[in-house]
């Protein structure tokens, strides 16, 4: 639980100090501190003196006594009547200094905080009181008084914008007079790359200072030295770095030294985009050799394939959508999953147990929605359906008040919310989200983690008394939960359940996807205030400082919509309903789930398991034999059913038949003087079909050893052919893919094949490769300009068309389950498309072009431009193994059904036979 872990760590590190930046107002800065005595009733018999620390802040004076029994005193500058030195002769000037080091502050209101070190609502003392502070170092008095004078003048300005502008000017002046202390470098040999001003962001507060980047470390030195003199991060430990939107402006940068933790190691806000971008470039350049940059698409593929959980995927999406535990207005958002908070047993097999994930919270109750829509239709532009958001600082702290009470007090000016409006009960909160006129909140990640402390009042906080007289204590849990830990366990099970896995993409469409904005959002009843959306307002265009401050305050309180990650429907998760044979889940499937008994595994199961075993060991592929049989690059490989004969085509215009037994070329045929581009063997091993750059397709009879037929079907070179169920599919540089019904001739040598054109799939440019899915219902084509198209073969219509690559698509193939389509091109990239939605869901950059490949949906065996065979972990986006092979590009690859035997052909005119050696 990121938020709570961070708070506990802070308490452990700085447990002796009661002061924290949370005692400041929102948008307030802590400038400096001085050791001093607080003198009460000076000169009287009952004079008392308390030693402590005087904090000078931009809107207040705070005194923290060393004695924790005594309360921290906070004096708002706007409530001051005078700040003066009692013994000074300038009686009419409230801002003077005293030679003894004393400052007298007379005010109309003061707040008493953490008396007896108990976290509780602030006590307000109204009425005129005087406070005398005696500094240990009297020589600093002049500077302190001058600073208080400036800040007091700022606090007395009528307009918030004018106040903010003056305080900013004071802050920038202080930053300009200081610089990063180079003595803080870890090593004297470090080289400075950049230094600039910035603020460190933590929930609800920011702390100004100096940022410094060297060749080894990132440093932040707070202007006030709080909570420690320097924050240092070793660049070698950095795993992720993200640009962030902070306060509606692209000024944030968040750095992570962990792979999966939601809580970052530092969040910085800069004063201009140039500094932020330069720092990002320096760190990103340093870590690019160590870290793979993940995108929403790469995580999507891992999630679809079951390699990461629903919880992990949602965390990644939140992170990529600018959600951060350091910014409560953009805190990670998670969905309500469970809709049953009254049953004694939680039944995760019943759909009615779950919330409808296809609708936003505000649309779950039809009666309430009808009222909201009526108001929406009558509303002038800009229209919005909901008067509050599903995620805001107030909602986050509503859930976490029991473990982060100081944050709630900071947000609400030293007060807790009314006891009846607290997070008292899961059932009550869910009911209010369904029925409340202004309550549309979702959940936070903590509901699906392992730390249940946010549900328990372990700090014994006095959170008030409800109308019925009951004190606010622990959160009331549903009957089906035996305790807080059991509640979280069952919530986790619900989040990872089959129902949620089948429907989570619908909620993602609403929060992060195509239903977030525009007409789709209107249709989905998912329209919030325009200010909550990225780009909803351009702060740079607002000249009035008061209007700008008002907008920032509004957005902080209201919350922000996540950055939109997807603009087309999000793909579904692949959820196995019977026995799973995937590498990740095959060991976890119980016998009860299996469709066959343990002793009666079907032939199909054994075949599938052998294929899984082969792909698990694909890195053990060893070269068995190699033969140079052509005069130019090999373009196609086909093997007879019994594996005895290998047919190859080449740019040398020949079709050759190679015998594995005798290890000799038994036939060599030339149909024209033009290169051949691919070949295949028809069922029965009687006919070989070859495609040629002379625009023709040739049928060759194996039995009679002669050309049997010729199909003159294209106006330019035929680049690739496929055969399925009596149909021939041919791709050509004439910008078409043609579908033919081929009726084979009789067994005599002079009987020709009868070819009937069934469909013509037209493209804008030359088609270089094609592939069919397992059911023969879809065809994928890749062009010379990098476009990938997915066609419905039954209707000859295009389903999806994406500009995937820059340059030629070398190869494309459906996954065995036909859910995904993988392609590779001359742009040195693998691209994965979700077949159902047409969304590009993964992109893996390769150091060199991969010319051809085979894959099982998770792992890729590819032939590279340099001649190596490379094995890729697609989900991890990295190379697992490199195997030396050809001396030129690998141009063709064949793999048997069991996936344990491979033949490759290359530009070096050789064919190589590879076998798995377990």
């Amino acid at each position: 639980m990121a938020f709570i872990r961070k708070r506990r760590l802070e308490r452990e590190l700085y447990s002796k100090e009661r002061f924290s930046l949370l005692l400041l107002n929102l948008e307030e800065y802590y400038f400096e501190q001085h050791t001093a005595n607080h003198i009460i009733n000076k000169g009287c018999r009952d004079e008392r003196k308390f030693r402590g620390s005087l904090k000078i802040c931009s809107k207040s004076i705070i005194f923290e006594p060393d004695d924790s029994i005594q309360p921290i005193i906070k004096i708002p500058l706007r409530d001051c009547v005078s700040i003066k030195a009692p013994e000074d002769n300038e009686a009419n000037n409230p801002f003077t200094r005293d030679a003894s080091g004393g400052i007298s502050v007379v005010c109309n209101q003061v707040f008493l905080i953490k008396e007896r070190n108990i976290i509780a609502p602030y006590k307000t003392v109204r009425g005129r009181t005087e406070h005398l502070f005696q500094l240990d170092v009297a020589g600093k008095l002049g500077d302190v008084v001058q600073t208080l004078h400036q800040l007091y003048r700022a606090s007395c300005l009528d307009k918030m914008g004018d106040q903010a502008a003056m305080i900013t000017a004071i802050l920038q002046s202080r930053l300009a007079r200081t610089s990063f202390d180079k003595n803080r470098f870890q090593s004297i040999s470090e080289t400075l790359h950049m230094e600039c001003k910035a603020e460190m962001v933590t929930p609800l507060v920011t702390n100004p200072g100096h940022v410094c980047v060297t060749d080894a470390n990132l440093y932040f030195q707070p202007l006030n030295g709080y909570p420690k003199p320097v924050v240092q991060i070793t660049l070698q430990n950095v795993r992720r770095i993200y640009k962030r939107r902070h306060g509606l402006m692209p000024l944030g940068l968040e750095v992570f030294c962990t792979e999966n933790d939601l809580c970052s190691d530092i969040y910085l806000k800069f004063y201009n985009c140039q500094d932020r971008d330069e720092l990002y470039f320096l760190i990103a350049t340093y870590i690019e050799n160590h870290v793979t940059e993940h995108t929403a698409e790469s995580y999507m593929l891992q999630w679809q394939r079951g390699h990461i959980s629903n919880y992990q995927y949602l965390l990644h999406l939140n992170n990529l959508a600018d959600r951060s535990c350091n910014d409560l207005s953009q805190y990670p958002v998670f969905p309500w999953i469970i809709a049953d908070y009254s049953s004694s047993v939680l039944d995760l097999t019943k759909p009615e147990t779950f919330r409808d994930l296809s609708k936003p919270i505000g649309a779950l109750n039809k009666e309430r929605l009808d009222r909201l829509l009526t108001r929406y239709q009558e509303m002038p532009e800009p229209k919005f359906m909901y008067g509050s958001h599903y995620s805001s600082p107030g909602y986050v702290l509503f859930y976490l008040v029991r473990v982060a009470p100081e944050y709630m007090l900071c947000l609400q000016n030293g007060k807790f919310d009314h006891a009846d409006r607290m997070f008292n009960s899961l059932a009550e909160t869910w009911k209010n989200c369904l029925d409340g006129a202004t309550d549309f909140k979702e959940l936070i990640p903590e509901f699906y983690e392992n730390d249940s402390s946010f549900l328990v009042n372990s700090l014994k906080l006095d959170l008030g008394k409800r109308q019925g007289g009951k004190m606010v204590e622990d959160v009331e849990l549903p009957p089906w939960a035996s305790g807080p830990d059991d509640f979280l366990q069952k919530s986790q099970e619900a989040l990872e359940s089959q129902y949620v896995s089948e429907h989570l993409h619908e909620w993602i469409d609403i929060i992060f996807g195509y239903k977030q904005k525009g007409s789709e959002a209107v249709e989905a009843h998912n329209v919030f205030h325009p200010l909550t959306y990225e780009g909803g307002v351009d702060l740079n265009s607002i000249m009035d400082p008061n209007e700008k401050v008002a907008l920032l305050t509004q957005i902080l309180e209201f919350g922000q919509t996540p950055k939109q990650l997807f603009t087309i429907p999000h793909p579904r998760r692949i959820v196995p309903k019977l026995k799973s044979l995937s590498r990740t889940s095959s060991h976890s499937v119980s016998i009860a789930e299996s469709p066959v008994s343990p002793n009666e595994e079907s032939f199909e199961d054994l075949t599938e398991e052998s294929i899984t075993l082969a792909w698990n060991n694909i890195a053990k592929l060893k070269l068995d034999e190699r033969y140079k049989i052509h005069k130019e690059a090999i373009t196609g490989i086909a093997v007879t059913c019994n594996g005895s004969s290998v047919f190859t085509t080449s740019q040398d215009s020949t079709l050759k038949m190679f015998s594995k037994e005798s290890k000799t070329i038994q036939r060599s045929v030339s149909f024209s003087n033009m290169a051949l581009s691919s070949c295949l063997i028809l069922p029965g091993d009687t006919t070989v079909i070859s495609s040629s750059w002379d625009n023709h397709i040739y049928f060759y009879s194996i039995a009679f050893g002669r050309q049997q037929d010729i199909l003159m079907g294209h106006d330019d070179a035929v680049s690739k052919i496929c055969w399925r169920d009596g149909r021939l599919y041919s791709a050509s540089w004439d910008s078409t893919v043609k579908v033919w019904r081929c009726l084979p001739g009789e067994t005599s040598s002079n009987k020709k094949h009868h070819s009937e054109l069934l469909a013509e799939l037209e493209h804008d440019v030359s088609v270089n490769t094609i592939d069919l899915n397992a059911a023969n219902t879809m065809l994928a084509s890749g062009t010379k300009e990098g476009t990938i198209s997915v066609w419905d073969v039954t209707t000859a219509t295009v389903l999806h068309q994406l500009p995937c690559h820059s340059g030629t698509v070398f190869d494309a193939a459906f996954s065995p389950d036909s859910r995904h389509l993988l392609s590779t091109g001359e742009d040195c990239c693998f691209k994965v498309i979700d077949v159902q939605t047409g969304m590009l869901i993964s992109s893996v950059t390769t150091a060199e072009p991969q010319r051809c490949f085979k894959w099982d949906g998770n792992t890729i065996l590819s032939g590279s431009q340099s001649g190596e065979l490379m094995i890729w972990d697609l989900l991890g986006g990295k190379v697992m193994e490199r195997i030396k092979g050809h001396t030129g590009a690998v141009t063709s690859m064949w793999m048997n059904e069991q996936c344990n035997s491979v033949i490759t052909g290359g530009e070096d005119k050789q064919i190589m036979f590879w076998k798995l050696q377990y």
Side-chain angles (χ1 to χ4, degrees), residues 701-884:
S701 171
I702 299 174
F704 295 97
R706 66 179 67 178
Q707 178 180 315
Q708 192 174 4
D709 198 4
I710 181 171
L711 176 59
M712 294 177 282
H714 287 278
D715 299 323
D716 204 339
V718 182
S719 53
K720 182 79 178 284
I721 52 173
C722 296
W723 178 276
R724 295 286 177 83
D725 293 342
R727 294 187 178 186
L728 177 68
Y729 302 82
S730 59
S732 170
W733 295 353
D734 67 4
S735 306
T736 67
V737 174
K738 293 184 178 180
V739 185
W740 312 85
R741 178 186 288 119
C742 291
L743 302 174
E746 297 174 12
T747 54
S748 62
S749 63
N750 61 351
K751 293 292 185 181
K752 295 187 175 183
H753 288 71
H754 301 288
S755 301
E756 176 191 353
L757 182 62
L758 298 179
E760 185 171 329
L761 312 179
E762 295 188 0
H763 297 66
D764 294 330
V765 293
S766 300
V767 183
N768 199 57
T769 187
I770 55 172
D771 187 56
L772 284 154
N773 71 336
N776 306 327
T777 56
M778 287 184 289
L779 178 143
S781 59
T783 72
K784 283 194 170 184
E785 291 189 357
T787 301
I788 293 288
S789 301
V790 179
W791 300 81
D792 182 339
V793 175
T794 58
T795 61
T797 55
V798 67
L799 300 174
H800 310 295
Q801 198 167 63
L802 289 87
C804 282
H805 298 273
S806 55
T808 301
V809 179
F810 286 137
D811 201 0
F814 288 94
S815 57
D817 60 9
S818 299
R819 302 277 188 134
H820 297 122
L821 176 70
L822 177 68
S823 61
T824 181
E826 66 175 329
D827 59 354
C828 302
C829 283
F830 280 120
K831 299 290 180 79
V832 182
I833 295 171
D834 178 79
V835 174
Q836 178 203 2
T837 62
M839 181 183 287
L840 179 65
I841 63 170
S842 183
S843 180
V844 177
T845 302
T846 62
E848 59 179 329
Q850 304 300 303
R851 297 289 296 273
C852 53
F853 66 84
K854 300 293 178 184
W855 75 311
D856 72 337
N858 301 303
T859 304
I860 307 169
L861 171 66
S862 68
S864 72
Q865 184 74 29
S866 64
E868 287 182 313
L869 294 192
M870 302 178 73
I871 297 162
W872 300 79
D873 172 12
L874 180 59
L875 303 179
K878 60 187 177 182
V879 178
M880 295 191 295
E881 194 73 36
R882 295 173 180 268
I883 306 170
K884 288 186 177 180

Side-chain angles (χ1 to χ4, degrees), residues 16 226 239 290 344 380 451 565 621 653 677 694 779:
K16 293 181 180 179
Y226 180 87
R239 288 293 168 269
H290 310 283
S344 57
D451 189 340
L565 299 178
L621 206 61
S653 79
S677 57
D694 68 2
L779 178 143

Side-chain angles (χ1 to χ4, degrees), residues 2 5 240 254 256 260-264 315 323 325 332 445 449:
R5 278 201 304 271
R240 293 175 289 145
E254 195 161 20
F256 294 78
N260 296 309
D261 200 339
L262 183 64
C263 208
S264 65
L315 274 189
R323 313 301 283 188
C325 67
E449 295 183 344

Side-chain angles (χ1 to χ4, degrees), residues 613-637:
L613 180 64
W615 276 103
N616 281 342
N617 291 277
I618 200 72
K620 297 177 182 177
L621 206 61
K622 302 295 181 185
L623 180 62
D624 189 32
E625 297 172 299
R626 65 169 74 192
Y627 302 96
K628 186 173 181 179
I629 62 173
H630 282 280
K631 295 179 181 179
E632 296 292 343
I634 292 165
T635 57
I637 302 171

